[in-house]
Amino acid sequence: NVADLTGLPDGVPEHFHAQGIEELYPPQAEAVEAGITEGESVVASIPTASGKTFIAELAMLSSVARGGKALYIVPLRALASEKKEEFEEFEQYGVSIGVSTGNYESDGDWLASRDIIVATSEKVDSLVRNGAKWIDDLSCVVADEVHLVNDAHRGPTLEVTLAKLRRVNPDLQTVALSATVGNAGEMADWLDATLVDSTWRPIDLRKGVLYGQALHFDDGTQQELARGNEKETAALVRDTLEDGGSSLVFVNSRRNAEAAAKRLADVTKTHLTDDERRDLLDIADQIRDVSDTETSDDLATAIEKGAAFHHAGLASDHRSLVEDAFRDKLIKVISATPTLAAGVNTPSRRVIVRDWRRYDGDIGGMQPLDVLEVHQMFGRAGRPGLDPHGEAVLIAKSHDELQELFDQYVWADPEPVHSKLAAEPALRTHILATVASGFAGTEEELLDFLERTLYATQTDETGRLETVTQHVLDYLDRNGFLERDDRLRATGLGHRVSQLYLDPMSAAEIIDGLRDADGKPTALGLYHLVSRTPDMYQLYLRSGDRERYTEIAYEREPEFLGHMPSEFEDNAFEDWLSALKTARLLEDWASELDEDRITERYAIGPGDIRGKVETAQWLLNAAERLAAELQRDDAEGIPSATTTAVREARKRVEYGVEEELLDLAGVRNVGRKRARRLYEAGIESRADLREADKSVVLGALRGRKKTAENILENVGRQDPSLDDVEADAETAATSA
Ligand code: ADP
């Protein structure tokens, strides 16, 4: 009984009770028995939506009640604010919450006053590197979605971060939440934790496969699905709707998600009440308000009819509008890429896994998804208390495939997860950081530290870690990031690289490039330099791109910093061109090309532009700091003209404008489009804006009084009121 729980802050058990959480779910009861409210470490490997968050809350709240401090590690930045909002409910019981996102360089000292802190593993890693003092005060850490240690890109950071936190405080309560995996026991061994391993779910889940007209379920039953010449997915969605439920459709690419939403909107539009139609129109308007790109227009059009798509290319405001409207049952179907399965809390009556294969760039072909992933999608089926049961359905194209899908996904157990730490790129970053932040002062200490990782728990390949570690130490030494004699010491440059959260290889590339620059490098040259570092996800080359960008490469060859590979070095040349494509996107953005034109030209979403822009900003800022560090350290130095060029290129990409607009675009609420309109009307700077004729300002801002007043206020104008001002007609006409 939840009311009987002890060790929590006053009022919290009653709060849970009022929320309808009266009895512990069986896995939660197991966690309590294991001592979750008494500081004991637990690995909970249980299905999606079976109350894992509650287990975490028990651990964190009881730890805070004992005077401690808790950290909740989320796998995605997008989830940090969602979790923070959830935990803010406890502020009324005197528990303070902080979320740490953004900038990888700050030490986040203000977080010292918070009881519960939410952050991504990358952010925690960078806070440790920057010496945040409150890290020493942590008494409890929760790692959400810990099975992601299996992920080659993000897993190693989570693994090393947990090892560091446990090194700082050997008594740290560690709670790891995992989807059901094949080897949760190994994770419990690694973290010295009690294992709670369960397949219990609060709502029954029926799993099945559709083939032809028949839906075959794992309990042996069958349902006839009369579908004429309707496509499988459409028929399943319609069938759910007729039963008063909504559906989630998982597909394998963003483009497919968008196309499916468009088609499925034709199904949902005939199942809406007048009220729903009105509310949906309202949401569609809000979507169009966020940005006026083709993607948002497509999304709005689908939403008007009761359908939506969801993928990582969406702006985050779009994502939350879609998720909320789906929870409110206004949107009847979402077609999504698997990001939605990974944590966003959007249960639905029926889950349809339409694509169980995905394109794998490393192999160059379609690959079946992991069981673990498909089961996580399945787990989104069924809303406790609202649906009689959840249903998860795969679609077979042949009779053979029907059996295959049952064997491969319905009956199959999820795979074990394996550490990806022993790869050079991962160790390059983490070894430098481990040495720079004082966790190891000798090679022996370093290996001893690495022994605390999951990798060491799992491997029986003796010597592998030592060998890779030697390679990495050589690399770091050769590039001037650390010194090795009988001790290991990070150089000034090495410390800087670690604090900037750069992959050392990115830093080496940037330093070489900056040294190569004579005179003032161009923006494209600098964008290309940062785009070819391993810290930038480059755009793919599509058909025709190789020719297109080869041509540009020769045309603009003098602008590039560093050596351009020859066309005969196939892979290196391809990479160079991918970086060029990425750099061109940044250049287009900084040359004020419309967002819409950019998304079209590069076949990406508006959220992707943001992502590239933010990464470029971070890397150019890092380049500036590295230049300053070299100035200090090294007789050769970097000429100041180069540093100035880097700063300008960074500002241009930050605001998405030409140089002449930098002053104006920096004013709050102005932005790239309005800055250009003001400039065209003869208002070229902040100073101009403070002096200019108000009717001209208003005309340039298309007669929007609120916006104009706001901007005038932000720029510090004495009397910003536009009460009796009319927009100047000529300016208004030009800026329209
Ligand atoms: P998970 O984190 O495992 O995906 P959540 O913790 O978000 O799942 O739980 C899913 C839902 O179940 C939440 O709405 C939560 O309030 C509810 N819930 C959790 N534990 C209980 C309980 N013991 N009794 C009733 N509802 C619960």
Side-chain angles (χ1 to χ4, degrees):
N1 195 325
V2 172
D4 297 338
L5 287 172
T6 54
L8 296 170
D10 286 343
V12 166
E14 294 76 10
H15 173 86
F16 283 135
H17 202 269
Q19 294 229 307
I21 304 186
E22 298 169 14
E23 275 180 42
L24 296 173
Y25 288 158
Q28 295 168 343
E30 266 187 69
V32 171
E33 255 159 57
I36 193 92
T37 57
E38 288 154 12
E40 295 299 324
S41 294
V42 167
V43 169
S45 167
I46 51 186
T48 313
S50 304
K52 283 198 280 284
T53 308
F54 183 74
I55 295 182
E57 288 170 353
L58 291 182
M60 295 192 296
L61 292 168
S62 58
S63 195
V64 170
R66 290 192 299 274
K69 188 182 192 63
L71 172 66
Y72 190 99
I73 303 180
V74 287
L76 295 171
R77 233 202 304 180
L79 292 176
S81 42
E82 177 163 315
K83 284 295 168 195
K84 179 187 142 231
E85 276 165 34
E86 254 178 273
F87 299 154
E88 267 167 359
E89 284 180 26
F90 302 114
E91 289 198 320
Q92 52 185 314
Y93 309 105
V95 180
S96 56
I97 314 294
V99 61
S100 172
T101 50
N103 194 329
Y104 278 140
E105 235 185 301
S106 65
D107 56 12
D109 269 350
W110 66 278
L111 291 167
S113 65
R114 302 303 153 118
D115 298 316
I116 295 180
I117 295 162
V118 182
T120 60
S121 50
E122 287 77 13
K123 183 68 202 187
V124 180
D125 185 14
S126 93
L127 288 166
V128 173
R129 294 180 189 201
N130 285 283
K133 296 195 194 47
W134 54 265
I135 295 280
D136 297 349
D137 304 332
L138 287 177
S139 54
C140 171
V141 60
V142 178
D144 196 0
E145 312 260 348
V146 76
H147 53 268
L148 287 174
V149 290
N150 199 50
D151 182 291
H153 297 292
R154 283 155 45 223
T157 303
L158 177 58
E159 202 179 324
V160 169
T161 301
L162 284 176
K164 281 185 184 164
L165 296 177
R166 282 159 41 79
R167 175 72 167 254
V168 171
N169 175 5
D171 296 325
L172 185 69
Q173 176 180 24
T174 310
V175 177
L177 309 176
S178 169
T180 35
V181 298
N183 59 339
E186 272 175 15
M187 283 199 274
D189 283 349
W190 164 45
L191 297 171
D192 303 309
T194 307
L195 177 64
V196 173
D197 194 1
S198 168
T199 54
W200 182 90
R201 286 180 42 104
I203 177 164
D204 274 349
L205 178 61
R206 291 213 293 169
K207 292 175 267 189
V209 181
L210 174 70
Y211 172 56
Q213 313 267 355
L215 197 44
H216 304 258
F217 286 107
D218 55 348
D219 58 8
T221 60
Q222 269 191 33
Q223 183 197 328
E224 206 61 35
L225 195 72
R227 63 179 183 92
N229 56 7
E230 206 176 14
K231 289 252 183 134
E232 287 95 338
T233 314
L236 285 164
V237 169
R238 182 182 45 73
D239 180 61
T240 324
L241 272 171
E242 284 167 0
D243 205 26
S246 48
S247 309
L248 262 176
V249 181
F250 286 107
V251 299
N252 60 9
S253 73
R254 297 177 184 183
R255 197 177 297 204
N256 283 336
E258 293 177 15
K262 192 169 178 184
R263 271 199 311 274
L264 295 171
D266 287 334
V267 180
T268 52
K269 73 175 183 203
T270 57
H271 285 79
L272 301 174
T273 65
D274 288 344
D275 281 353
E276 286 176 335
R277 210 165 278 128
R278 208 186 39 236
D279 292 346
L280 286 166
L281 271 178
D282 191 45
I283 296 167
D285 280 345
Q286 295 178 47
I287 295 275
R288 290 196 177 98
D289 272 353
V290 174
S291 70
D292 57 354
T293 60
E294 208 177 300
T295 311
S296 64
D297 201 50
D298 288 350
L299 181 60
T301 308
I303 288 178
E304 285 168 3
K305 301 178 187 166
F309 53 86
H310 187 293
H311 57 58
L314 285 187
S316 65
D317 291 348
H318 282 164
R319 273 210 302 260
S320 25
L321 281 167
V322 168
E323 288 158 17
D324 290 345
F326 188 69
R327 265 179 235 131
D328 292 342
K329 298 180 92 169
L330 281 170
I331 290 177
K332 312 289 182 191
V333 60
I334 296 182
S335 54
T337 55
T339 37
L340 190 66
V344 187
N345 189 14
T346 45
S348 94
R349 171 84 57 86
R350 192 176 256 171
V351 164
I352 302 159
V353 181
R354 195 197 74 179
D355 300 336
W356 49 274
R357 289 193 189 94
R358 166 175 54 212
Y359 184 80
D360 183 331
D362 296 338
I363 296 170
M366 302 299 278
Q367 278 296 309
L369 300 181
D370 287 345
V371 180
L372 178 62
E373 260 182 296
V374 171
H375 282 193
Q376 272 199 294
M377 297 177 198
F378 282 2
R380 291 281 157 223
R383 293 157 309 164
L386 292 174
D387 293 325
H389 57 256
E391 257 178 34
V393 180
L394 289 148
I395 297 167
K397 297 286 180 202
S398 67
H399 195 268
D400 285 348
E401 209 172 86
L402 172 63
Q403 195 51 48
E404 200 183 313
L405 289 178
F406 261 99
D407 291 342
Q408 198 172 329
Y409 292 116
V410 177
W411 304 127
D413 291 324
E415 301 81 2
V417 297
H418 289 295
S419 165
K420 300 294 188 293
L421 184 64
E424 238 177 279
L427 280 177
R428 209 161 52 211
T429 296
H430 289 298
I431 286 180
L432 178 59
T434 301
V435 173
S437 33
F439 284 89
T442 62
E443 286 184 30
E444 210 176 5
E445 283 172 20
L446 179 62
L447 285 170
D448 183 53
F449 173 78
L450 292 172
E451 278 301 313
R452 294 160 183 267
T453 58
L454 174 64
Y455 177 80
T457 313
Q458 289 189 322
T459 190
D460 37 347
E461 217 183 322
T462 46
R464 167 89 198 273
L465 201 54
E466 283 85 340
T467 316
V468 187
T469 300
Q470 286 308 325
H471 274 282
V472 169
L473 287 173
D474 287 344
Y475 175 88
L476 295 172
D477 188 6
R478 211 166 46 239
N479 284 281
F481 299 132
L482 57 75
E483 282 161 3
R484 315 164 72 173
D485 31 54
D486 49 337
R487 298 192 55 79
L488 292 173
R489 254 185 315 269
T491 59
L493 194 60
H495 275 286
R496 181 57 77 200
V497 170
S498 166
Q499 282 162 357
L500 289 169
Y501 210 70
L502 286 177
D503 181 331
M505 194 177 261
S506 298
E509 182 86 35
I510 289 173
I511 291 169
D512 281 352
L514 293 181
R515 284 205 164 118
D516 186 56
D518 45 34
K520 192 179 169 198
T522 64
L524 182 79
L526 292 164
Y527 296 152
H528 187 263
L529 177 63
V530 297
S531 295
R532 60 178 201 254
T533 66
D535 279 309
M536 176 73 86
Y537 282 100
Q538 299 162 353
L539 295 172
Y540 289 112
L541 295 182
R542 292 170 191 266
S543 76
D545 278 352
R546 194 180 161 111
E547 294 69 31
R548 188 170 306 128
Y549 289 100
T550 305
E551 207 171 294
I552 298 173
Y554 287 121
E555 254 167 45
R556 303 189 62 174
E557 194 173 346
E559 294 184 50
F560 302 122
L561 306 172
H563 150 85
M564 176 163 131
S566 99
E567 278 185 65
F568 302 103
E569 297 169 69
D570 223 15
N571 287 340
F573 191 66
E574 288 260 316
D575 285 348
W576 181 270
L577 292 182
S578 298
L580 178 54
K581 185 175 176 184
T582 314
R584 284 279 290 173
L585 179 153
L586 295 167
E587 192 188 36
D588 279 346
W589 169 254
S591 312
E592 300 173 40
L593 192 67
D594 268 356
E595 229 180 325
D596 222 7
R597 292 284 310 282
I598 300 181
T599 53
E600 212 176 291
R601 184 174 287 177
Y602 298 94
I604 54 174
D608 299 312
I609 304 181
R610 291 263 154 262
K612 298 282 177 274
V613 163
E614 276 176 22
T615 309
Q617 240 176 284
W618 161 53
L619 290 171
L620 288 165
N621 174 58
E624 240 181 281
R625 308 291 291 269
L626 290 174
E629 192 68 43
L630 289 173
Q631 220 83 41
R632 193 168 315 146
D633 248 30
D634 165 343
E636 272 179 79
I638 301 282
S640 66
T642 307
T643 321
T644 312
V646 174
R647 186 171 320 127
E648 273 171 19
R650 170 174 61 75
K651 287 200 176 148
R652 282 188 54 202
V653 85
E654 175 177 354
Y655 298 118
V657 296
E658 297 282 4
E659 216 172 304
E660 67 208 27
L661 292 190
L662 282 178
D663 187 37
L664 274 182
V667 178
R668 218 150 64 92
N669 290 347
V670 172
R672 62 204 296 255
K673 286 193 176 170
R674 290 180 183 149
R676 179 50 69 193
R677 283 193 220 114
L678 287 165
Y679 194 90
E680 299 291 315
I683 302 166
E684 302 184 355
S685 65
R686 291 170 194 241
D688 288 355
L689 201 47
R690 277 191 290 267
E691 301 295 321
D693 186 337
K694 284 181 174 176
S695 67
V696 174
V697 175
L698 190 57
L701 297 172
R702 297 175 161 179
R704 299 197 180 204
K705 274 199 180 165
K706 266 249 152 48
T707 313
E709 282 180 347
N710 211 320
I711 289 174
L712 289 176
E713 202 178 318
N714 291 342
V715 82
R717 183 145 181 164
Q718 289 300 340
D719 169 27
S721 162
L722 296 175
D723 274 348
D724 299 312
V725 180
E726 290 284 327
D728 177 68
E730 202 180 318
T731 317
T734 340
S735 68

